[in-house]
C-alpha cells in the first residue's frame, strides 16, 4: 500500500501507542489533543503480559520496569481477610513478560518521551476535532483551536479515533448513541503514600460489592515514599451522573463515614484515606458494543471503540493490543480501507465479548459469589462454598476471552 498520511484524534495511552506503532512501520502520523500541557493525571493501572509484550516490542520495557511495581500474585479475600483464592501472575505464572502496576501518568510520560524520539510523528496540541467527511480519496477533517475557537480544514488519508469514552469520532459515526451506560457501581480511588501496608508484589481484591470491595496493589516508590494504589467500589447509592468524569474530587470525610460502616476488617481504610492526598469519585460506565468500527478511511480504537468496566485490568491493555493489531494490518494490507476492515474483523468481536463478560461475570465476581453463599451458611468458610475447580474455570474463561491465557501470549 502507498504510505498513507494518518490522523489520530486523541493523544492518551491509545493514541500515543498507536503513533509509535505506525512510526515503526514508516507511516507518517499527525496526532491531536485538546490538552496544551500534558500532566500526569489518573491513578494506577495494571499492564498484563500481553500488553507489556506489545510495549516491549517498542523498546519500552526497561523504562516501564524502572517506574513500576511488578505484580507476581493476585489474591481474593473476604472482608475479614479470609483467603478465597490466590494465583501466580506475570512472570511468576510462566509468562515471558511481566505484569506491571504503574501510574497512568507515568506510562503516558514514557510514551510521550518515546514519541519525541521517533520519526514521522507530528504532535498538535490545543486542537479538537469538530467533525469530518470521509470520501473515496481522503478524509476532510475540521479542527478548532481550543483557545480561539478558530476552525481549520485539513485533508488526510485516514482518521483513527483514539479519543476515549466521549469520542467525537464515535459520535459522528453514531450520532444517536447518547451517554455512556451506567453500571450501578460507584468507585473511589487514590494513591496512598507511606500507608504502612506491606503488599510485596501482590494485588488483592477484598470484600464484595454488596458492602465495599477494595482493590489494592503497590505502585513502587516515588521520592522515597512507598505508593499503594487503592480503589473502593460498591453498588451505587448516589444519583447517576450524566457523564463519566474521573476528575471529580471525592469528599474524604463522607468516604470515611462509609468505610466506618463497612464490613472490611483486614485493612485500615481510615488510614488508607488519611495517607491519600486526593481521592477521586467515579460512577462506573461503559458503552454497548458496536456493530462496526471501521467505515472506509475512518476507524475507532481503545475506549473510543470498546469502553469497558475496569474489571480484570483490561481497559488500557486492550487499547494497546488494538494498536498492535491495527499497525500489523496496515503493514500488510494493500489499502487503508482493507487494513481497517481486517482490523475490525479481528478485534471487534473479541472486544464485544470482553465488554459483555465484564458486565456479566468478570473475575472479580468470585468475591460476590462467595459473599452470597456465605450469607446462606452460618459458620461457613470460603472453601466450604466454592472449590478451586470452579474458581479456575471462571478465571481461565476470562483470560481466554480477554486474550491473556498462558497459551495465547
Amino acid at each position: 500500500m502507498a504510505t498513507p498520511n494518518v490522523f489520530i484524534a486523541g493523544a492518551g495511552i491509545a493514541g500515543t501507542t498507536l503513533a509509535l506503532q505506525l512510526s515503526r512501520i514508516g507511516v507518517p502520523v499527525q496526532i491531536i489533543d485538546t490538552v496544551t500541557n500534558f500532566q500526569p493525571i489518573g491513578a494506577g493501572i495494571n499492564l498484563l503480559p500481553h500488553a507489556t509484550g506489545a510495549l516491549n516490542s517498542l523498546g519500552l520495557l526497561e523504562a516501564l520496569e524502572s517506574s513500576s511495581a511488578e505484580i507476581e500474585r493476585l489474591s481474593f479475600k473476604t472482608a475479614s481477610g479470609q483467603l478465597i483464592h490466590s494465583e501466580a501472575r506475570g512472570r511468576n505464572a510462566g509468562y515471558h513478560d511481566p505484569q506491571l502496576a504503574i501510574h497512568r501518568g507515568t506510562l503516558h510520560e514514557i510514551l510521550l518521551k518515546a514519541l519525541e524520539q521517533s520519526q514521522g510523528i507530528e504532535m498538535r496540541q490545543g486542537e479538537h476535532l469538530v467533525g469530518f467527511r470521509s470520501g473515496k480519496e481522503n478524509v476532510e477533517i475540521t479542527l478548532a483551536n481550543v483557545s480561539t475557537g478558530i476552525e481549520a480544514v485539513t485533508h488526510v488519508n485516514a482518521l483513527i479515533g483514539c479519543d476515549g469514552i466521549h469520542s467525537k469520532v464515535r459520535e459522528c459515526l453514531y450520532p444517536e448513541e447518547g451517554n455512556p451506560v451506567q453500571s450501578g457501581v460507584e468507585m473511589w480511588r487514590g494513591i496512598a503514600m507511606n500507608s504502612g501496608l506491606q503488599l510485596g508484589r501482590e494485588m488483592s481484591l477484598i470484600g464484595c460489592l454488596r458492602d465495599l470491595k477494595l482493590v489494592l496493589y503497590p505502585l513502587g516508590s516515588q521520592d522515597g515514599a512507598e505508593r499503594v494504589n487503592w480503589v473502593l467500589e460498591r453498588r451505587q447509592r448516589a444519583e447517576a451522573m450524566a457523564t463519566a468524569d474521573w476528575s471529580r474530587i471525592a469528599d474524604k470525610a463522607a468516604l470515611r463515614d462509609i468505610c466506618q460502616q463497612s464490613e472490611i476488617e483486614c485493612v485500615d481504610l481510615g488510614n488508607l484515606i488519611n495517607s491519600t492526598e486526593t481521592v477521586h469519585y467515579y460512577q462506573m460506565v461503559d458503552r454497548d458494543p458496536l456493530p462496526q468500527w471501521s467505515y472506509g478511511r475512518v476507524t475507532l480504537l481503545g475506549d473510543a471503540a470498546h469502553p469497558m468496566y475496569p474489571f480484570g485490568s483490561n481497559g488500557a491493555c486492550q487499547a494497546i493490543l488494538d494498536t498492535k493489531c491495527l499497525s500489523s494490518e496496515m503493514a500488510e494490507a494493500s489499502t487503508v480501507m482493507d487494513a481497517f476492515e481486517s482490523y475490525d474483523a479481528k478485534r471487534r468481536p473479541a472486544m464485544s465479548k470482553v465488554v459483555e463478560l465484564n458486565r456479566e461475570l468478570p473475575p472479580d465476581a468470585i468475591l460476590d459469589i462467595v459473599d452470597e453463599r456465605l450469607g446462606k451458611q452460618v459458620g461457613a468458610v470460603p472453601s466450604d462454598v466454592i472449590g478451586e475447580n470452579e474458581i479456575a474455570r471462571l478465571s481461565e474463561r476470562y483470560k481466554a476471552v480477554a486474550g491473556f491465557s498462558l497459551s495465547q501470549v
Side-chain angles (χ1 to χ4, degrees):
M1 136 174 104
T3 303
N5 176 23
V6 173
F7 196 93
I8 299 174
I13 303 302
T16 50
T17 306
L18 178 61
L20 290 171
Q21 295 277 17
L22 295 179
S23 171
R24 197 175 74 151
I25 61 172
V27 174
V29 171
Q30 296 180 69
I31 179 170
I32 67 157
D33 202 280
T34 57
V35 175
T36 56
N37 183 26
F38 291 114
Q39 299 294 325
I41 62 172
I45 60 174
N46 263 262
L47 296 174
L48 300 177
H50 54 356
T52 51
L55 295 173
N56 189 8
S57 70
L58 294 172
L60 301 178
L61 187 57
E62 183 178 350
L64 292 170
E65 288 188 298
S66 67
S67 305
S68 64
E70 185 169 355
I71 302 299
E72 295 185 345
R73 184 154 293 277
L74 171 64
S75 295
F76 298 82
K77 302 173 184 178
T78 66
S80 63
Q82 291 179 304
L83 182 65
I84 299 170
H85 171 69
S86 184
E87 63 183 51
R89 303 287 282 198
R91 288 178 175 141
N92 194 37
Y95 291 89
H96 179 269
D97 294 294
Q99 177 172 334
L100 300 176
I102 189 169
H103 192 292
R104 181 203 173 277
T106 303
L107 171 59
H108 197 215
E109 287 177 347
I110 291 171
L111 293 167
L112 289 171
K113 184 176 180 180
L115 284 188
E116 293 174 356
Q117 300 169 351
S118 299
Q119 299 294 319
I121 300 174
E122 178 188 355
M123 174 70 78
R124 299 171 58 169
Q125 295 175 242
E127 295 183 272
H128 70 88
L129 181 74
V130 176
F132 63 86
R133 289 192 303 174
S134 183
K136 291 183 178 181
E137 302 299 326
N138 57 42
V139 184
E140 181 183 281
I141 298 174
T142 302
L143 304 172
N145 184 285
V146 172
S147 300
T148 66
I150 297 174
E151 296 186 357
V153 174
T154 187
H155 294 84
V156 296
N157 297 120
L159 169 63
I160 305 170
C162 298
D163 45 345
I165 193 168
H166 299 299
S167 168
K168 183 65 178 179
V169 179
R170 179 171 175 141
E171 179 188 327
C172 291
L173 294 174
Y174 293 92
E176 304 300 321
E177 184 176 32
N179 289 326
V181 179
Q182 292 284 338
S183 69
V185 174
E186 54 186 343
M187 309 168 62
W188 297 262
R189 72 174 183 181
I191 298 175
M193 308 294 284
N194 288 331
S195 64
L197 284 171
Q198 302 297 318
L199 302 182
R201 295 187 173 188
E202 181 179 63
M203 177 179 183
S204 295
L205 280 68
I206 302 166
C208 64
L209 289 176
R210 173 189 57 78
D211 174 56
L212 271 182
K213 184 183 88 176
L214 172 65
V215 181
L216 280 177
Y217 53 84
L219 281 180
S221 62
Q222 182 181 56
D223 300 327
E226 289 300 318
R227 300 177 297 167
V228 170
N229 190 86
W230 60 267
V231 184
L232 284 167
E233 306 169 9
R234 71 173 183 178
R235 295 291 177 200
Q236 193 164 308
R237 301 172 199 181
E239 182 179 349
M241 295 187 295
T243 59
D245 181 8
W246 261 124
S247 64
R248 181 176 175 181
I249 305 298
D251 182 337
K252 291 171 70 172
L255 180 57
R256 286 191 197 94
D257 290 341
I258 292 171
C259 291
Q260 286 176 356
Q261 300 171 42
S262 168
E263 297 171 8
I264 293 178
E265 303 171 349
C266 56
V267 176
D268 187 341
L269 298 181
N271 175 60
L272 203 61
I273 296 168
N274 292 338
S275 303
T276 304
E277 181 178 355
T278 304
V279 177
H280 288 93
Y281 175 81
Y282 184 71
Q283 292 179 356
M284 191 185 296
V285 296
D286 67 0
R287 289 188 184 275
D288 292 332
L290 294 174
Q292 190 173 339
W293 294 350
S294 299
Y295 290 84
R297 295 177 175 274
V298 180
T299 195
L300 301 169
L301 187 146
D303 278 351
H306 49 76
M308 60 186 66
Y309 298 159
F311 295 139
S313 304
N314 258 293
C317 292
Q318 295 299 341
I320 291 168
L321 294 182
D322 286 349
T323 71
K324 179 181 177 181
C325 177
L326 181 53
S327 63
S328 176
E329 295 305 317
M330 292 188 69
E332 297 294 331
S334 57
T335 68
V336 165
M337 293 79 78
D338 289 343
F340 284 5
E341 183 178 352
S342 182
Y343 154 73
D344 190 312
K346 290 184 177 180
R347 289 294 292 166
R348 182 178 48 77
M351 290 305 93
S352 295
K353 289 179 182 178
V354 177
V355 171
E356 296 290 357
L357 193 56
N358 271 6
R359 289 176 172 182
E360 297 165 7
L361 200 63
D364 309 38
I366 293 169
L367 297 172
D368 297 306
I369 291 170
V370 170
D371 174 68
E372 181 181 359
R373 293 177 184 176
L374 286 176
K376 296 176 181 178
Q377 297 188 35
V378 178
V381 296
S383 59
D384 294 331
V385 299
I386 193 167
E388 281 297 325
N389 288 339
E390 182 179 358
I391 293 173
R393 286 195 302 271
L394 291 170
S395 178
E396 289 305 314
R397 178 192 177 197
Y398 188 84
K399 290 176 183 176
V401 170
F404 70 101
S405 64
L406 190 55
S407 63
Q408 293 171 298
V409 178

